[in-house]
């Protein structure tokens, strides 16, 4: 087991290096330069000022030198400073946004799983009933409706017409002075529409998946046996069927972990939520190389770690994998 | 809190509906509520698409940073409501008779927000840090013309130039930075970028990344304490969301689009809660021809193109009438604008005649003009994300088709647009816009020496008389002589048509009706922000 682990970790190093190389190449292949984007055709800026900015950012050096400088810093976990005029460390910019994106994604994920799993189970055991068909229509509407459109409609209804919920943002003005309970309630009100819209849009995939695995399991012989034993239906479904049906769904949950730090640009823009998606999109549009590369590398790193943990989990659970690899 | 605002606005609205029954319909600009008494307090929430990048103005290039910096800092000079230069931190200034030396007499008793006195040392520092090669700034060029800068005493600052340079005066409108906090430190790593200290009417309070910037009125401001107690800059990246925030009462001021102005803000409910303003924006949209392309080298062809384009139709179709025809590079109504200039109005007959004169007589089977076996076709490039420009291009395409010219339209993302097309001169025609600066010096856009890579005369316009006028116009401080230069310049451009000047759009800001004291002027509405107020009984924050 230890040898297997060591091997996997060693393999990560060249993989990570490859990722940095590809990231760097792709980012620099895009036409345009950070300096151009800042100046963006302001006639008051001469060629000399442009050269000065380029030199300041180290963009006057050849590409391979730029890469070496960047990777050397990265090896010491220094992501460098942003090319935006504020010139702040990239890690600070990411750090102030990750909590927002992370909490939003976790809440959405919990709601999504919390709704989709019961919907899938119920649809499977009441297969072909009105409930099943109605739910199919419902989740596919969620899947098909453009998120931004639904979001705008809900904002208009609840924010403008009825005035029940805030339109956008995360906190009300002056919320710093609130007590912790009121502060939390205020934030919950702000998050209600975004989280519901996000969850509604992603119900379809998961609930359909849950329904089909559940149907597979219900047809198994051991379920027939359980029923034949005279167990109550509730016990058959929840004790025997559900446990097996949930296994593949847990894999899905594992797969969505790296996505937790990625935000959706459209979503964050519409709701004015300062998350990772906006930061990344802004970085790309401004050709802020260190910021874009920093986010990509962190994302890649988390994916690698996630994969490693998943593989370790499998290895732990399944001796065949462990021994097959180790020997 | 939000609910309180809505309840309040609902009450105000009910009151307004009653009032407007007997009051009749007034023009939208006139505040419909009584003037009330000026009172201190309340807050204004201004919506912005973008977040400021840095609050050290010497490093910033974006408009959001400028919005905040303008309230936190002062320059030596500034533009007044009629876009004329007036003293700000400089009470007055003298220009030596030869035009080579400017002496600023600084205002006494001005204090930085941390209580330290403002002196000429701060001005000297600002100048030095701007020209320091280690400072990554876009604004060094005007200051580089200075050959000597000195501060003979605490309240005098003197600069000398090698030759008279009219835009120099404007360049001293640059925000003055606090020397006592920055001198001897690396400005790019200064904490002041996120926590600025200035001399301006508002004191920086808080910046919540990605959400808002909060400023508080400066009780010791040299022009007096501003009425509005807090200025809250709220970042809402989507314009539809921002508009809904406005309607829900979460935002007090934003700029709206022509369609919102015309079609969505006419309800009694809206007009009772908000005042709409309308004045020409400081920008123009143009169609520029690549003069190195033989297709456009003949002046008559360019005149024909302008004659074939119906500018009125573009303004009505694209801006719903919220703009005016541009005949040249200046804003109508400003001192450099020549009101007598009329370039080629819409006249397809004249267009056809001019083209025939230039040799475009035959048409091929598709109805496209042909000369020497080549059909008259070209591509208009414009940048992605600007719907008004794209729509203008489509209308132009339709009009040119009518006189036998085939136009293709390509929309390209901004970074690629600059690097792959503009910088390489790889285009036929581009549809873009320029900002109109209050100082009429447009040397960088039209002078024939500015055609190098990454310079702004990217169409390669070369006219010796224009070159001479541009140099003459920037080397004197005499307003009437400058005006003469720029008047003539506009005549030449109207005749040469290197660009087809299309339109000057209107700026369309909306402000909550509880704010009083707003007086639209050529400079817009923001110039007297410190005099805006909310009567005590209407304050909500």
């Amino acid at each position: 087991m230890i040898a297997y682990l060591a091997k996997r970790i060693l393999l990560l190093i060249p993989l990570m290096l490859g990722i940095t190389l590809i990231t760097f190449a792709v980012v620099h292949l895009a036409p345009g330069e950070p300096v151009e984007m800042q100046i963006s055709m302001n006639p008051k800026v001469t060629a000399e000022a442009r050269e000065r900015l380029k030199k300041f950012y180290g963009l006057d050096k050849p590409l391979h030198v730029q890469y070496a400088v960047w990777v050397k810093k990265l090896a010491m976990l220094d992501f460098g400073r942003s090319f935006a005029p504020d010139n702040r460390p990239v890690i600070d910019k990411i750090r102030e946004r990750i909590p927002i994106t992370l909490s939003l994604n976790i809440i959405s994920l919990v709601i999504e799983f919390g709704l989709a799993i019961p919907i899938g189970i119920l649809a499977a055991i009441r297969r072909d009933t009105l409930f099943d068909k109605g739910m199919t229509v419902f989740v596919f509407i969620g899947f098909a409706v453009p998120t931004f459109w639904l979001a705008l409609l809900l904002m208009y209804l609840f924010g403008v017409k009825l005035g029940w919920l805030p339109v956008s943002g995360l906190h009300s003005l002056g919320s710093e002075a609130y007590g912790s309970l009121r502060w939390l309630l205020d934030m919950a009100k702000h998050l209600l529409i975004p989280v519901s819209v996000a969850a509604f849009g992603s119900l379809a995939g998961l609930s359909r998946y849950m329904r089909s695995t559940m149907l597979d399991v219900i047809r198994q012989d051991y379920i027939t046996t359980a029923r034949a034993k005279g167990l109550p239906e509730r016990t058959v479904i929840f004790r025997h069927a559900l446990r097996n049906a949930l296994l593949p769904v847990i894999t899905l949950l594992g797969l969505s972990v790296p996505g937790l730090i990625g935000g959706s640009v459209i979503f964050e823009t519409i709701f004015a939520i300062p998350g990772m998606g906006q930061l990344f999109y802004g970085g790309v549009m401004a050709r802020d190389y260190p910021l874009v590369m920093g986010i990509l590398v962190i994302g890649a790193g988390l994916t690698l770690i996630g994969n490693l943990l998943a593989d370790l989990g499998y290895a732990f659970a399944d001796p065949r994998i462990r021994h097959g690899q180790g020997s | 809190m939000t609910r309180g605002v809505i309840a309040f606005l609902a009450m105000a609205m009910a009151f307004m509906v009653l009032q407007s029954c007997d009051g009749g319909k007034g023009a939208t600009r006139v505040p419909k509520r009584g003037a009330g008494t000026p009172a201190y307090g309340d807050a204004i929430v201004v919506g912005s698409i973008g977040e400021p990048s840095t609050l050290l103005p010497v490093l910033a290039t974006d408009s959001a940073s400028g919005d905040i910096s303008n309230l936190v800092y002062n320059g030596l000079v500034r533009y007044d409501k009629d876009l004329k230069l007036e003293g700000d931190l400089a009470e007055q200034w003298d220009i030596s008779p030869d035009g080579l030396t400017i002496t600023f007499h600084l205002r006494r008793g001005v204090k930085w927000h941390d209580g330290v006195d403002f002196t000429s040392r701060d001005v000297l520092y600002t100048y030095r840090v701007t020209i320091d090669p280690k400072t990554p700034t876009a604004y060094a060029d005007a200051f580089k013309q200075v050959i000597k800068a000195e501060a003979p005493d605490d309240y005098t600052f003197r600069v000398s130039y090698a030759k008279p340079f009219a835009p120099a005066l404007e360049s001293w409108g640059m925000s003055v930075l606090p020397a006592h906090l920055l001198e001897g430190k690396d400005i790019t790593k200064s904490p002041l970028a996120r926590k600025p200290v200035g001399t301006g009417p508002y004191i920086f309070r808080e910046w919540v990344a990605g959400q808002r910037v909060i400023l508080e009125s400066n009780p010791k401001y040299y022009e007096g304490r501003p009425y509005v107690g807090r200025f809250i800059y709220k970042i809402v990246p989507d314009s539809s969301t921002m508009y809904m925030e406005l309607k829900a009462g979460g935002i007090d001021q934003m700029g709206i689009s022509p369609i919102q102005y015309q079609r969505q803000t006419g309800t009694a409910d809206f007009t009772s809660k908000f005042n709409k303003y309308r004045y020409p924006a400081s920008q123009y949209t143009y169609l520029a021809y690549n003069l190195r392309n033989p297709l456009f080298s003949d002046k008559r062809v360019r005149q024909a193109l302008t004659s074939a384009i119906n500018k009125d139709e573009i303004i009505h179709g694209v801006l719903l009438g919220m703009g005016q025809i541009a005949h040249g590079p200046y804003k109508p109504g400003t001192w450099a604008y020549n009101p007598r200039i009329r370039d080629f109005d819409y006249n397809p007959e004249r267009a056809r005649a001019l083209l025939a004169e230039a040799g475009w007589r035959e048409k091929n089977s598709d109805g496209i003009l042909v000369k020497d076996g080549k059909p008259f076709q070209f591509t208009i490039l414009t940048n992605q994300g600007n719907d008004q420009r794209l729509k203008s291009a489509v209308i132009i395409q339709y009009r040119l088709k009518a006189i036998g010219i085939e136009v293709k339209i390509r929309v390209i993302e901004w970074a690629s647009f600059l690097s792959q097309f503009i910088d390489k001169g790889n285009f036929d025609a581009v549809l873009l816009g320029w900002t109109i600066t209050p100082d009429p010096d447009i040397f960088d856009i039209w002078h024939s020496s500015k055609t190098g890579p990454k310079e702004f005369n990217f169409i390669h316009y070369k006219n010796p008389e224009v070159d001479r006028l541009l140099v003459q116009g920037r080397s004197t401080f005499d307003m009437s002589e400058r005006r003469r230069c720029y008047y003539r310049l506009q005549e030449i451009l109207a005749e040469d048509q290197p660009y087809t000047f299309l339109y000057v759009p209107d700026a369309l800001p909306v402000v909550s009706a509880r704010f009083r004291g707003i007086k639209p002027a050529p400079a817009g509405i923001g110039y007297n922000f410190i005099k805006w107020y909310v009567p005590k009984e209407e304050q909500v924050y």
Side-chain angles (χ1 to χ4, degrees), chain A residues 181-322:
Chain A
L181 190 69
R182 188 160 166 226
W183 185 86
L184 216 61
L185 205 69
D186 176 62
M187 182 152 157
K189 270 169 95 179
H190 279 84
L191 287 182
L192 196 58
I193 301 179
V195 165
S196 324
V197 172
F200 185 46
S202 50
L203 274 183
L206 190 62
S207 65
R208 297 302 290 176
Y209 194 70
M210 185 69 223
R211 179 179 178 272
S212 71
T213 52
M214 193 71 186
L215 281 177
D216 277 349
V217 172
I218 285 177
R219 290 199 203 96
Q220 299 287 325
D221 290 342
Y222 64 86
I223 298 295
T224 319
T225 313
R227 287 201 175 118
K229 279 198 300 191
L231 286 177
E233 187 63 16
R234 175 174 275 275
T235 320
V236 174
I237 297 296
F238 291 99
R239 285 280 296 279
H240 299 270
L242 184 60
R243 280 192 180 180
N244 287 302
L246 271 181
L247 276 175
V249 173
I250 287 165
T251 319
L252 268 190
L253 183 65
L255 283 179
S256 53
V257 167
L260 282 181
I261 69 146
S264 149
V265 182
I266 298 179
F267 201 71
E268 287 176 6
T269 305
I270 285 193
F271 288 105
I273 294 169
M276 292 292 287
Q278 263 191 48
L279 184 70
F280 186 66
Y281 180 74
V284 171
M285 291 326 261
R287 305 289 191 270
D288 186 346
Y289 299 151
L291 180 68
V292 172
M293 294 188 299
I295 296 175
L296 287 175
V297 165
I298 291 177
L302 282 183
T303 311
L304 289 182
I305 292 170
N307 283 353
L308 180 68
L309 288 179
D311 285 358
L312 287 180
Y314 277 134
F316 185 72
D318 192 339
R320 283 172 303 182
I321 297 176
R322 192 167 38 199

Side-chain angles (χ1 to χ4, degrees), chain B residues 436-456:
Chain B
I436 305 171
T437 51
D439 188 273
D441 179 40
I442 44 175
F443 185 89
D444 294 295
I445 299 175
W446 299 103
H447 197 270
S448 63
S449 67
K450 290 292 174 183
T451 53
K454 307 209 183 263
E455 291 190 308
F456 299 102

Side-chain angles (χ1 to χ4, degrees), chain A residues 31-32 36 38 41-44 46 48 50 52 56 81 85-86 88 96 152 155 168 176 270 274 287, chain B residues 53 59 61 130 132 135 141 144 194 209 212 241 244-245 413 415-416 418-419 434 444 454 456 458:
Chain A
E36 290 308 310
Q38 272 183 43
M41 297 205 68
N42 179 350
K44 298 276 167 219
T46 58
E48 199 195 333
R50 201 185 303 262
R52 181 200 285 219
F56 178 78
R81 282 173 175 267
D86 61 358
R88 292 170 73 207
E96 70 193 10
L152 287 176
M155 279 155 81
S168 71
E176 306 80 39
I270 285 193
R287 305 289 191 270
Chain B
S53 59
L59 304 179
T61 50
T130 309
D132 183 347
T135 308
D141 303 299
K144 281 219 173 115
R194 299 191 64 83
R212 61 183 168 264
T241 307
M244 280 196 258
E245 277 282 8
E413 186 255 351
S416 322
L418 293 181
S419 64
W434 282 124
D444 294 295
K454 307 209 183 263
F456 299 102
F458 53 80

